[in-house]
Amino acid sequence: MTRVVIVGGGPGGYEAALVGSQLGGDVTLVESDGLGGSAVLTDCVPSKTLIATAEVMTGVRASAELGLRFGSTGQGSVDSSVHVDLAAVNRRVLELAKNQSADIVDRVKRENVQIITGRGRLDGPDRVVVESDAGEQTLDADVILLATGARPRELPQARPDGERILTWTQVYELSELPDRLIVVGSGVTGAEFASAYEALGVDVVLVSSRDRVLPGEDADAAQVLEDVFVRRGMTVMSKSRADAVTRDGDKVTVLLTDGREVTGSHCLLAVGSVPNTSGMGLEEAGVDLGRGGFITVDRVSRTSARGIYAAGDCTGVLMLASVAAMQGRIAMWHSLGDAVTPLDMMNVSSNVFTAPEIATVGVTQRQVDAGEVPASSVTLPLAGNARAKMQGSRDGFVKLFCRPATGIVIGGVVVSPRASELIYPISIAVADRLTVDQVSGAFTVYPSLTGSLAEAARRLHGTRSAS
Ligand SMILES: Cc1cc2nc3c(=O)[nH]c(=O)nc-3n(C[C@H](O)[C@H](O)[C@H](O)COP(=O)(O)OP(=O)(O)OC[C@H]3O[C@@H](n4cnc5c(N)ncnc54)[C@H](O)[C@@H]3O)c2cc1C
């Protein structure tokens, strides 16, 4: 039996463990903090659970237009009629995360994976040493998978205190809504938390070092979101780089590099992640680290050391749970001799869980504008969609890219409520190289938001150049 040792029990690690076991490997999973990893315990699952509550509030806030009134007289406001019990919200968040982690433990044990609680490090290319309260244990391995994830980056002059200066892993300890929350960082994590707390009724200031929020996303989509943020009353400070964050009692101050100061009751730091790769004997075992300490891997998750694979955030390939899981599975398929398709980033769909959501797959507008990929495109505003009108949704659009000569769908962007669900048909089209005619030939329900996807595909019929 091939002895497989996996270090790190997040999606990169536990999904690999399931495949490794399915393929007949003798699999041991080493995890220091809890199965499910940061994805389940501190990052993805908790934030999306918090956002589920925020989504309800977004709907409630928008409901006056649909004829709903608040209070017994119908004269009340949302804020006077609906109270957000943040302690209850956060209890639910943490309970759900704990249960999800327990479900994963059950599942992994059912598949005969041995779980060891402790901190793993390499001792050469084919041995893992695990340190735990019980002492040290050495595991010999034919295949090693490193899936140790990443943790929040901290600024030297902005040390989180867990009370008022917070990382995204600490916000679930809050029992009351912040009076004024300064979110530092306008990438995906910063934008998601800013959107969620704003919906819950918090006065939010979003400090962004760039021209616009979500600098890595489709520029049209980011503009829609920024406009929505501002319209809802959020203060968006662009080209504003935080230098230091200090606390004085119940007040926090964010000092910007240009000397300006922003004050609030709390500060959330969302300035990126650093990989958990130091002090693990990686370089000594022949594992190359690239920029920022991320493990260098190829498209089948191999590192520079024979028999050692890596998956997920510790590789920095694309920090998504879905990508981590796929890299982990690919590592097992490759190392245990199963059929394997290398990771193809063009097929990865992703979503920003703001209100509205932003979902993307395939080629980007930036690639098309830079002339890297020839494409025709059509953008249809959500405001023209019948279902969206009925629901009172105006902010957003559907954008579809196809090859000019063949009409093969190569990418898309959806900005709308539940865009994370609506991107799937485009994702299938991209993965299976469907043409716009094939996409528009399938029935959609009337009225539905997917109707706009089909309509965009229909409009691309016979196009020959970028539009
Ligand atoms: C706020 C936030 C929201 C997110 N939301 C989403 C989302 O909606 N969708 C999405 O796809 N992605 C999301 N992500 C990204 C996603 O959480 C990560 O991409 C995912 O966690 C990566 O999985 P992983 O297995 O690489 O690492 P992790 O989930 O970080 O797991 C790594 C595990 O390894 C353990 N470990 C580390 N070192 C050792 C060691 N030496 N020995 C033993 N164990 C060790 C850690 O304790 C941890 O449990 C979000 C990220 C953040 C920060």
PDB file of all heavy atoms in Angstrom, residues 7-12 30-34 37-39 43-44 47-48 118-120 147-150 168 189 193 280 312-313 319-322 324 353, ligand 1:
ATOM      1  N   VAL A   7      -0.328  16.928   5.308  1.00  0.00           N
ATOM      2  CA  VAL A   7      -0.158  17.890   6.403  1.00  0.00           C
ATOM      3  C   VAL A   7      -1.097  19.067   6.151  1.00  0.00           C
ATOM      4  O   VAL A   7      -0.923  19.821   5.186  1.00  0.00           O
ATOM      5  CB  VAL A   7       1.299  18.382   6.508  1.00  0.00           C
ATOM      6  CG1 VAL A   7       1.462  19.289   7.746  1.00  0.00           C
ATOM      7  CG2 VAL A   7       2.264  17.208   6.579  1.00  0.00           C
ATOM      8  N   GLY A   8      -2.104  19.208   6.995  1.00  0.00           N
ATOM      9  CA  GLY A   8      -3.099  20.280   6.841  1.00  0.00           C
ATOM     10  C   GLY A   8      -4.437  19.693   6.442  1.00  0.00           C
ATOM     11  O   GLY A   8      -4.550  18.988   5.443  1.00  0.00           O
ATOM     12  N   GLY A   9      -5.459  19.983   7.260  1.00  0.00           N
ATOM     13  CA  GLY A   9      -6.773  19.351   7.042  1.00  0.00           C
ATOM     14  C   GLY A   9      -7.846  20.294   6.547  1.00  0.00           C
ATOM     15  O   GLY A   9      -9.029  20.116   6.833  1.00  0.00           O
ATOM     16  N   GLY A  10      -7.460  21.335   5.778  1.00  0.00           N
ATOM     17  CA  GLY A  10      -8.442  22.189   5.102  1.00  0.00           C
ATOM     18  C   GLY A  10      -8.928  21.497   3.842  1.00  0.00           C
ATOM     19  O   GLY A  10      -8.669  20.298   3.646  1.00  0.00           O
ATOM     20  N   PRO A  11      -9.637  22.220   2.961  1.00  0.00           N
ATOM     21  CA  PRO A  11     -10.154  21.582   1.741  1.00  0.00           C
ATOM     22  C   PRO A  11      -9.062  20.953   0.880  1.00  0.00           C
ATOM     23  O   PRO A  11      -9.277  19.905   0.267  1.00  0.00           O
ATOM     24  CB  PRO A  11     -10.829  22.731   0.979  1.00  0.00           C
ATOM     25  CG  PRO A  11     -10.824  23.909   1.864  1.00  0.00           C
ATOM     26  CD  PRO A  11     -10.051  23.615   3.101  1.00  0.00           C
ATOM     27  N   GLY A  12      -7.883  21.583   0.849  1.00  0.00           N
ATOM     28  CA  GLY A  12      -6.769  21.002   0.083  1.00  0.00           C
ATOM     29  C   GLY A  12      -6.386  19.647   0.644  1.00  0.00           C
ATOM     30  O   GLY A  12      -6.127  18.701  -0.098  1.00  0.00           O
ATOM     31  N   VAL A  30      -2.608  14.916   9.015  1.00  0.00           N
ATOM     32  CA  VAL A  30      -2.084  15.601  10.201  1.00  0.00           C
ATOM     33  C   VAL A  30      -2.652  17.014  10.243  1.00  0.00           C
ATOM     34  O   VAL A  30      -2.507  17.773   9.277  1.00  0.00           O
ATOM     35  CB  VAL A  30      -0.536  15.686  10.140  1.00  0.00           C
ATOM     36  CG1 VAL A  30       0.006  16.375  11.396  1.00  0.00           C
ATOM     37  CG2 VAL A  30       0.074  14.308   9.962  1.00  0.00           C
ATOM     38  N   GLU A  31      -3.327  17.347  11.327  1.00  0.00           N
ATOM     39  CA  GLU A  31      -3.949  18.674  11.418  1.00  0.00           C
ATOM     40  C   GLU A  31      -3.744  19.219  12.832  1.00  0.00           C
ATOM     41  O   GLU A  31      -3.989  18.519  13.806  1.00  0.00           O
ATOM     42  CB  GLU A  31      -5.432  18.581  11.058  1.00  0.00           C
ATOM     43  CG  GLU A  31      -6.272  19.782  11.416  1.00  0.00           C
ATOM     44  CD  GLU A  31      -5.809  21.112  10.803  1.00  0.00           C
ATOM     45  OE1 GLU A  31      -5.641  21.169   9.577  1.00  0.00           O
ATOM     46  OE2 GLU A  31      -5.615  22.075  11.569  1.00  0.00           O
ATOM     47  N   SER A  32      -3.346  20.487  12.902  1.00  0.00           N
ATOM     48  CA  SER A  32      -3.057  21.051  14.228  1.00  0.00           C
ATOM     49  C   SER A  32      -4.296  21.642  14.896  1.00  0.00           C
ATOM     50  O   SER A  32      -4.452  21.558  16.114  1.00  0.00           O
ATOM     51  CB  SER A  32      -1.972  22.115  14.114  1.00  0.00           C
ATOM     52  OG  SER A  32      -2.344  23.086  13.160  1.00  0.00           O
ATOM     53  N   ASP A  33      -5.203  22.239  14.106  1.00  0.00           N
ATOM     54  CA  ASP A  33      -6.264  23.039  14.733  1.00  0.00           C
ATOM     55  C   ASP A  33      -7.680  22.471  14.617  1.00  0.00           C
ATOM     56  O   ASP A  33      -8.507  22.715  15.481  1.00  0.00           O
ATOM     57  CB  ASP A  33      -6.277  24.448  14.150  1.00  0.00           C
ATOM     58  CG  ASP A  33      -5.025  25.209  14.515  1.00  0.00           C
ATOM     59  OD1 ASP A  33      -4.170  24.633  15.219  1.00  0.00           O
ATOM     60  OD2 ASP A  33      -4.881  26.364  14.092  1.00  0.00           O
ATOM     61  N   GLY A  34      -7.993  21.799  13.570  1.00  0.00           N
ATOM     62  CA  GLY A  34      -9.359  21.280  13.411  1.00  0.00           C
ATOM     63  C   GLY A  34      -9.634  20.994  11.941  1.00  0.00           C
ATOM     64  O   GLY A  34      -9.264  21.800  11.080  1.00  0.00           O
ATOM     65  N   GLY A  37     -10.126  23.062   8.314  1.00  0.00           N
ATOM     66  CA  GLY A  37      -9.116  24.111   8.151  1.00  0.00           C
ATOM     67  C   GLY A  37      -9.678  25.503   8.365  1.00  0.00           C
ATOM     68  O   GLY A  37     -10.789  25.685   8.881  1.00  0.00           O
ATOM     69  N   SER A  38      -8.902  26.475   7.933  1.00  0.00           N
ATOM     70  CA  SER A  38      -9.357  27.857   8.036  1.00  0.00           C
ATOM     71  C   SER A  38     -10.634  28.029   7.228  1.00  0.00           C
ATOM     72  O   SER A  38     -11.507  28.814   7.594  1.00  0.00           O
ATOM     73  CB  SER A  38      -8.296  28.812   7.497  1.00  0.00           C
ATOM     74  OG  SER A  38      -7.069  28.517   8.065  1.00  0.00           O
ATOM     75  N   ALA A  39     -10.736  27.313   6.110  1.00  0.00           N
ATOM     76  CA  ALA A  39     -11.913  27.453   5.249  1.00  0.00           C
ATOM     77  C   ALA A  39     -13.181  27.269   6.071  1.00  0.00           C
ATOM     78  O   ALA A  39     -14.127  28.051   5.974  1.00  0.00           O
ATOM     79  CB  ALA A  39     -11.870  26.430   4.113  1.00  0.00           C
ATOM     80  N   ASP A  43     -12.638  31.191   8.011  1.00  0.00           N
ATOM     81  CA  ASP A  43     -12.649  32.044   6.812  1.00  0.00           C
ATOM     82  C   ASP A  43     -13.959  31.940   6.010  1.00  0.00           C
ATOM     83  O   ASP A  43     -14.870  32.734   6.164  1.00  0.00           O
ATOM     84  CB  ASP A  43     -11.473  31.701   5.898  1.00  0.00           C
ATOM     85  CG  ASP A  43     -10.120  31.990   6.542  1.00  0.00           C
ATOM     86  OD1 ASP A  43     -10.107  32.473   7.691  1.00  0.00           O
ATOM     87  OD2 ASP A  43      -9.092  31.716   5.917  1.00  0.00           O
ATOM     88  N   CYS A  44     -13.967  30.935   5.142  1.00  0.00           N
ATOM     89  CA  CYS A  44     -15.022  30.835   4.136  1.00  0.00           C
ATOM     90  C   CYS A  44     -16.399  30.553   4.754  1.00  0.00           C
ATOM     91  O   CYS A  44     -17.362  31.321   4.551  1.00  0.00           O
ATOM     92  CB  CYS A  44     -14.593  29.725   3.181  1.00  0.00           C
ATOM     93  SG  CYS A  44     -15.730  29.356   1.921  1.00  0.00           S
ATOM     94  N   SER A  47     -17.675  33.394   7.237  1.00  0.00           N
ATOM     95  CA  SER A  47     -18.014  34.657   6.561  1.00  0.00           C
ATOM     96  C   SER A  47     -19.277  34.501   5.721  1.00  0.00           C
ATOM     97  O   SER A  47     -20.137  35.384   5.705  1.00  0.00           O
ATOM     98  CB  SER A  47     -16.840  35.169   5.705  1.00  0.00           C
ATOM     99  OG  SER A  47     -16.568  34.308   4.631  1.00  0.00           O
ATOM    100  N   LYS A  48     -19.435  33.357   5.077  1.00  0.00           N
ATOM    101  CA  LYS A  48     -20.642  33.186   4.254  1.00  0.00           C
ATOM    102  C   LYS A  48     -21.881  32.977   5.116  1.00  0.00           C
ATOM    103  O   LYS A  48     -23.008  33.282   4.709  1.00  0.00           O
ATOM    104  CB  LYS A  48     -20.465  32.007   3.291  1.00  0.00           C
ATOM    105  CG  LYS A  48     -20.066  32.399   1.896  1.00  0.00           C
ATOM    106  CD  LYS A  48     -18.671  32.816   1.648  1.00  0.00           C
ATOM    107  CE  LYS A  48     -18.274  34.207   1.828  1.00  0.00           C
ATOM    108  NZ  LYS A  48     -16.877  34.466   1.430  1.00  0.00           N
ATOM    109  N   GLY A 118      -1.876  17.373  15.588  1.00  0.00           N
ATOM    110  CA  GLY A 118      -0.533  17.844  15.920  1.00  0.00           C
ATOM    111  C   GLY A 118       0.017  18.687  14.790  1.00  0.00           C
ATOM    112  O   GLY A 118      -0.646  18.875  13.762  1.00  0.00           O
ATOM    113  N   ARG A 119       1.186  19.217  14.993  1.00  0.00           N
ATOM    114  CA  ARG A 119       1.817  20.093  13.998  1.00  0.00           C
ATOM    115  C   ARG A 119       2.863  19.287  13.241  1.00  0.00           C
ATOM    116  O   ARG A 119       3.766  18.696  13.850  1.00  0.00           O
ATOM    117  CB  ARG A 119       2.446  21.281  14.742  1.00  0.00           C
ATOM    118  CG  ARG A 119       3.109  22.313  13.882  1.00  0.00           C
ATOM    119  CD  ARG A 119       3.142  23.658  14.559  1.00  0.00           C
ATOM    120  NE  ARG A 119       1.796  24.203  14.679  1.00  0.00           N
ATOM    121  CZ  ARG A 119       1.156  24.839  13.692  1.00  0.00           C
ATOM    122  NH1 ARG A 119       1.737  25.008  12.514  1.00  0.00           N
ATOM    123  NH2 ARG A 119      -0.068  25.300  13.875  1.00  0.00           N
ATOM    124  N   GLY A 120       2.732  19.236  11.932  1.00  0.00           N
ATOM    125  CA  GLY A 120       3.648  18.433  11.123  1.00  0.00           C
ATOM    126  C   GLY A 120       4.763  19.270  10.520  1.00  0.00           C
ATOM    127  O   GLY A 120       4.583  20.448  10.229  1.00  0.00           O
ATOM    128  N   ALA A 147      -0.583  20.892   2.667  1.00  0.00           N
ATOM    129  CA  ALA A 147      -1.803  21.696   2.456  1.00  0.00           C
ATOM    130  C   ALA A 147      -2.035  22.532   3.710  1.00  0.00           C
ATOM    131  O   ALA A 147      -3.075  22.420   4.365  1.00  0.00           O
ATOM    132  CB  ALA A 147      -2.989  20.779   2.162  1.00  0.00           C
ATOM    133  N   THR A 148      -1.045  23.346   4.031  1.00  0.00           N
ATOM    134  CA  THR A 148      -1.033  24.033   5.329  1.00  0.00           C
ATOM    135  C   THR A 148      -1.712  25.398   5.307  1.00  0.00           C
ATOM    136  O   THR A 148      -1.768  26.078   6.339  1.00  0.00           O
ATOM    137  CB  THR A 148       0.414  24.189   5.822  1.00  0.00           C
ATOM    138  OG1 THR A 148       1.184  24.780   4.753  1.00  0.00           O
ATOM    139  CG2 THR A 148       1.029  22.867   6.208  1.00  0.00           C
ATOM    140  N   GLY A 149      -2.201  25.827   4.146  1.00  0.00           N
ATOM    141  CA  GLY A 149      -3.012  27.041   4.093  1.00  0.00           C
ATOM    142  C   GLY A 149      -2.248  28.329   4.333  1.00  0.00           C
ATOM    143  O   GLY A 149      -1.023  28.399   4.145  1.00  0.00           O
ATOM    144  N   ALA A 150      -2.983  29.336   4.762  1.00  0.00           N
ATOM    145  CA  ALA A 150      -2.404  30.669   4.963  1.00  0.00           C
ATOM    146  C   ALA A 150      -3.105  31.327   6.139  1.00  0.00           C
ATOM    147  O   ALA A 150      -4.109  30.832   6.643  1.00  0.00           O
ATOM    148  CB  ALA A 150      -2.584  31.505   3.693  1.00  0.00           C
ATOM    149  N   TRP A 168      -9.985  39.038  10.183  1.00  0.00           N
ATOM    150  CA  TRP A 168     -11.279  38.429   9.829  1.00  0.00           C
ATOM    151  C   TRP A 168     -11.565  37.164  10.641  1.00  0.00           C
ATOM    152  O   TRP A 168     -12.691  36.703  10.668  1.00  0.00           O
ATOM    153  CB  TRP A 168     -11.361  38.139   8.333  1.00  0.00           C
ATOM    154  CG  TRP A 168     -10.349  37.153   7.834  1.00  0.00           C
ATOM    155  CD1 TRP A 168     -10.332  35.808   8.002  1.00  0.00           C
ATOM    156  CD2 TRP A 168      -9.183  37.459   7.064  1.00  0.00           C
ATOM    157  NE1 TRP A 168      -9.244  35.245   7.400  1.00  0.00           N
ATOM    158  CE2 TRP A 168      -8.521  36.234   6.808  1.00  0.00           C
ATOM    159  CE3 TRP A 168      -8.635  38.629   6.549  1.00  0.00           C
ATOM    160  CZ2 TRP A 168      -7.346  36.161   6.070  1.00  0.00           C
ATOM    161  CZ3 TRP A 168      -7.471  38.555   5.816  1.00  0.00           C
ATOM    162  CH2 TRP A 168      -6.835  37.349   5.584  1.00  0.00           C
ATOM    163  N   THR A 189     -12.022  40.002   0.415  1.00  0.00           N
ATOM    164  CA  THR A 189     -12.395  39.854   1.825  1.00  0.00           C
ATOM    165  C   THR A 189     -12.886  41.174   2.406  1.00  0.00           C
ATOM    166  O   THR A 189     -13.930  41.229   3.070  1.00  0.00           O
ATOM    167  CB  THR A 189     -11.186  39.312   2.631  1.00  0.00           C
ATOM    168  OG1 THR A 189     -10.843  38.032   2.103  1.00  0.00           O
ATOM    169  CG2 THR A 189     -11.518  39.172   4.101  1.00  0.00           C
ATOM    170  N   PHE A 193     -16.832  41.849   3.784  1.00  0.00           N
ATOM    171  CA  PHE A 193     -17.188  42.252   5.162  1.00  0.00           C
ATOM    172  C   PHE A 193     -17.802  43.650   5.180  1.00  0.00           C
ATOM    173  O   PHE A 193     -18.747  43.904   5.939  1.00  0.00           O
ATOM    174  CB  PHE A 193     -15.957  42.182   6.077  1.00  0.00           C
ATOM    175  CG  PHE A 193     -15.681  40.786   6.566  1.00  0.00           C
ATOM    176  CD1 PHE A 193     -14.593  40.069   6.097  1.00  0.00           C
ATOM    177  CD2 PHE A 193     -16.519  40.181   7.497  1.00  0.00           C
ATOM    178  CE1 PHE A 193     -14.345  38.777   6.538  1.00  0.00           C
ATOM    179  CE2 PHE A 193     -16.281  38.883   7.945  1.00  0.00           C
ATOM    180  CZ  PHE A 193     -15.186  38.181   7.465  1.00  0.00           C
ATOM    181  N   MET A 280       9.038  24.637   8.627  1.00  0.00           N
ATOM    182  CA  MET A 280       8.518  23.280   8.390  1.00  0.00           C
ATOM    183  C   MET A 280       9.520  22.370   7.687  1.00  0.00           C
ATOM    184  O   MET A 280       9.150  21.303   7.196  1.00  0.00           O
ATOM    185  CB  MET A 280       7.245  23.355   7.535  1.00  0.00           C
ATOM    186  CG  MET A 280       6.029  23.854   8.286  1.00  0.00           C
ATOM    187  SD  MET A 280       4.578  23.690   7.258  1.00  0.00           S
ATOM    188  CE  MET A 280       4.554  21.936   6.919  1.00  0.00           C
ATOM    189  N   GLY A 312      -3.523  24.152  -2.404  1.00  0.00           N
ATOM    190  CA  GLY A 312      -4.257  25.174  -1.666  1.00  0.00           C
ATOM    191  C   GLY A 312      -3.490  26.464  -1.442  1.00  0.00           C
ATOM    192  O   GLY A 312      -2.546  26.792  -2.161  1.00  0.00           O
ATOM    193  N   ASP A 313      -3.917  27.179  -0.404  1.00  0.00           N
ATOM    194  CA  ASP A 313      -3.410  28.533  -0.168  1.00  0.00           C
ATOM    195  C   ASP A 313      -1.902  28.582   0.036  1.00  0.00           C
ATOM    196  O   ASP A 313      -1.280  29.605  -0.220  1.00  0.00           O
ATOM    197  CB  ASP A 313      -4.104  29.142   1.060  1.00  0.00           C
ATOM    198  CG  ASP A 313      -5.522  29.610   0.758  1.00  0.00           C
ATOM    199  OD1 ASP A 313      -6.010  29.353  -0.362  1.00  0.00           O
ATOM    200  OD2 ASP A 313      -6.142  30.219   1.647  1.00  0.00           O
ATOM    201  N   MET A 319      -6.377  31.663  -4.286  1.00  0.00           N
ATOM    202  CA  MET A 319      -6.799  31.359  -2.917  1.00  0.00           C
ATOM    203  C   MET A 319      -8.299  31.155  -2.821  1.00  0.00           C
ATOM    204  O   MET A 319      -9.047  32.043  -2.396  1.00  0.00           O
ATOM    205  CB  MET A 319      -6.303  32.442  -1.992  1.00  0.00           C
ATOM    206  CG  MET A 319      -4.799  32.367  -1.805  1.00  0.00           C
ATOM    207  SD  MET A 319      -4.317  33.483  -0.514  1.00  0.00           S
ATOM    208  CE  MET A 319      -2.756  32.840  -0.022  1.00  0.00           C
ATOM    209  N   LEU A 320      -8.726  29.976  -3.226  1.00  0.00           N
ATOM    210  CA  LEU A 320     -10.130  29.586  -3.158  1.00  0.00           C
ATOM    211  C   LEU A 320     -10.206  28.165  -2.620  1.00  0.00           C
ATOM    212  O   LEU A 320      -9.376  27.318  -2.965  1.00  0.00           O
ATOM    213  CB  LEU A 320     -10.771  29.607  -4.541  1.00  0.00           C
ATOM    214  CG  LEU A 320     -11.056  30.954  -5.179  1.00  0.00           C
ATOM    215  CD1 LEU A 320     -11.619  30.753  -6.575  1.00  0.00           C
ATOM    216  CD2 LEU A 320     -12.026  31.760  -4.326  1.00  0.00           C
ATOM    217  N   ALA A 321     -11.244  27.908  -1.827  1.00  0.00           N
ATOM    218  CA  ALA A 321     -11.432  26.566  -1.294  1.00  0.00           C
ATOM    219  C   ALA A 321     -11.604  25.557  -2.429  1.00  0.00           C
ATOM    220  O   ALA A 321     -11.086  24.439  -2.368  1.00  0.00           O
ATOM    221  CB  ALA A 321     -12.655  26.548  -0.379  1.00  0.00           C
ATOM    222  N   SER A 322     -12.334  25.963  -3.471  1.00  0.00           N
ATOM    223  CA  SER A 322     -12.587  25.048  -4.586  1.00  0.00           C
ATOM    224  C   SER A 322     -11.285  24.690  -5.309  1.00  0.00           C
ATOM    225  O   SER A 322     -11.092  23.540  -5.718  1.00  0.00           O
ATOM    226  CB  SER A 322     -13.567  25.690  -5.571  1.00  0.00           C
ATOM    227  OG  SER A 322     -13.112  26.982  -5.928  1.00  0.00           O
ATOM    228  N   ALA A 324      -8.226  24.826  -3.915  1.00  0.00           N
ATOM    229  CA  ALA A 324      -7.437  24.014  -2.980  1.00  0.00           C
ATOM    230  C   ALA A 324      -7.870  22.546  -3.077  1.00  0.00           C
ATOM    231  O   ALA A 324      -7.041  21.638  -3.181  1.00  0.00           O
ATOM    232  CB  ALA A 324      -7.641  24.524  -1.550  1.00  0.00           C
ATOM    233  N   PHE A 353     -18.943  37.614  -2.548  1.00  0.00           N
ATOM    234  CA  PHE A 353     -20.250  37.539  -1.875  1.00  0.00           C
ATOM    235  C   PHE A 353     -20.647  38.884  -1.271  1.00  0.00           C
ATOM    236  O   PHE A 353     -20.836  39.002  -0.072  1.00  0.00           O
ATOM    237  CB  PHE A 353     -20.222  36.447  -0.815  1.00  0.00           C
ATOM    238  CG  PHE A 353     -20.188  35.045  -1.385  1.00  0.00           C
ATOM    239  CD1 PHE A 353     -18.993  34.474  -1.790  1.00  0.00           C
ATOM    240  CD2 PHE A 353     -21.352  34.306  -1.521  1.00  0.00           C
ATOM    241  CE1 PHE A 353     -18.965  33.182  -2.314  1.00  0.00           C
ATOM    242  CE2 PHE A 353     -21.334  33.020  -2.047  1.00  0.00           C
ATOM    243  CZ  PHE A 353     -20.140  32.466  -2.450  1.00  0.00           C
TER     244      PHE A 353
HETATM  245  C1  LIG B   1     -12.660  35.688   4.896  1.00  0.00           C
HETATM  246  C2  LIG B   1     -12.457  34.675   3.813  1.00  0.00           C
HETATM  247  C3  LIG B   1     -13.535  34.194   3.099  1.00  0.00           C
HETATM  248  C4  LIG B   1     -13.350  33.231   2.106  1.00  0.00           C
HETATM  249  N1  LIG B   1     -14.428  32.805   1.390  1.00  0.00           N
HETATM  250  C5  LIG B   1     -14.259  31.899   0.409  1.00  0.00           C
HETATM  251  C6  LIG B   1     -15.353  31.476  -0.377  1.00  0.00           C
HETATM  252  O1  LIG B   1     -16.468  31.941  -0.195  1.00  0.00           O
HETATM  253  N2  LIG B   1     -15.150  30.545  -1.334  1.00  0.00           N
HETATM  254  C7  LIG B   1     -13.905  30.017  -1.558  1.00  0.00           C
HETATM  255  O2  LIG B   1     -13.763  29.167  -2.454  1.00  0.00           O
HETATM  256  N3  LIG B   1     -12.848  30.402  -0.847  1.00  0.00           N
HETATM  257  C8  LIG B   1     -12.996  31.334   0.133  1.00  0.00           C
HETATM  258  N4  LIG B   1     -11.921  31.748   0.867  1.00  0.00           N
HETATM  259  C9  LIG B   1     -10.620  31.134   0.623  1.00  0.00           C
HETATM  260  C10 LIG B   1     -10.530  29.782   1.317  1.00  0.00           C
HETATM  261  O3  LIG B   1     -10.858  29.917   2.684  1.00  0.00           O
HETATM  262  C11 LIG B   1      -9.141  29.221   1.165  1.00  0.00           C
HETATM  263  O4  LIG B   1      -8.773  29.249  -0.175  1.00  0.00           O
HETATM  264  C12 LIG B   1      -9.074  27.797   1.706  1.00  0.00           C
HETATM  265  O5  LIG B   1      -9.197  27.827   3.097  1.00  0.00           O
HETATM  266  C13 LIG B   1      -7.778  27.118   1.325  1.00  0.00           C
HETATM  267  O6  LIG B   1      -7.794  25.816   1.796  1.00  0.00           O
HETATM  268  P1  LIG B   1      -6.437  25.103   2.271  1.00  0.00           P
HETATM  269  O7  LIG B   1      -6.776  23.682   2.463  1.00  0.00           O
HETATM  270  O8  LIG B   1      -5.346  25.458   1.350  1.00  0.00           O
HETATM  271  O9  LIG B   1      -6.050  25.797   3.646  1.00  0.00           O
HETATM  272  P2  LIG B   1      -6.826  26.022   5.033  1.00  0.00           P
HETATM  273  O10 LIG B   1      -8.299  25.984   4.881  1.00  0.00           O
HETATM  274  O11 LIG B   1      -6.186  27.232   5.549  1.00  0.00           O
HETATM  275  O12 LIG B   1      -6.375  24.771   5.861  1.00  0.00           O
HETATM  276  C14 LIG B   1      -5.038  24.557   6.218  1.00  0.00           C
HETATM  277  C15 LIG B   1      -4.991  23.774   7.503  1.00  0.00           C
HETATM  278  O13 LIG B   1      -3.639  23.370   7.738  1.00  0.00           O
HETATM  279  C16 LIG B   1      -3.399  23.408   9.126  1.00  0.00           C
HETATM  280  N5  LIG B   1      -1.956  23.488   9.319  1.00  0.00           N
HETATM  281  C17 LIG B   1      -1.133  24.509   8.994  1.00  0.00           C
HETATM  282  N6  LIG B   1       0.146  24.186   9.271  1.00  0.00           N
HETATM  283  C18 LIG B   1       0.102  22.939   9.800  1.00  0.00           C
HETATM  284  C19 LIG B   1       1.100  22.056  10.263  1.00  0.00           C
HETATM  285  N7  LIG B   1       2.392  22.389  10.237  1.00  0.00           N
HETATM  286  N8  LIG B   1       0.726  20.854  10.738  1.00  0.00           N
HETATM  287  C20 LIG B   1      -0.587  20.505  10.776  1.00  0.00           C
HETATM  288  N9  LIG B   1      -1.563  21.292  10.331  1.00  0.00           N
HETATM  289  C21 LIG B   1      -1.216  22.487   9.841  1.00  0.00           C
HETATM  290  C22 LIG B   1      -4.161  24.618   9.595  1.00  0.00           C
HETATM  291  O14 LIG B   1      -4.455  24.501  10.980  1.00  0.00           O
HETATM  292  C23 LIG B   1      -5.405  24.557   8.732  1.00  0.00           C
HETATM  293  O15 LIG B   1      -6.419  23.871   9.413  1.00  0.00           O
HETATM  294  C24 LIG B   1     -12.063  32.727   1.843  1.00  0.00           C
HETATM  295  C25 LIG B   1     -10.962  33.221   2.556  1.00  0.00           C
HETATM  296  C26 LIG B   1     -11.149  34.182   3.524  1.00  0.00           C
HETATM  297  C27 LIG B   1      -9.961  34.717   4.261  1.00  0.00           C
END
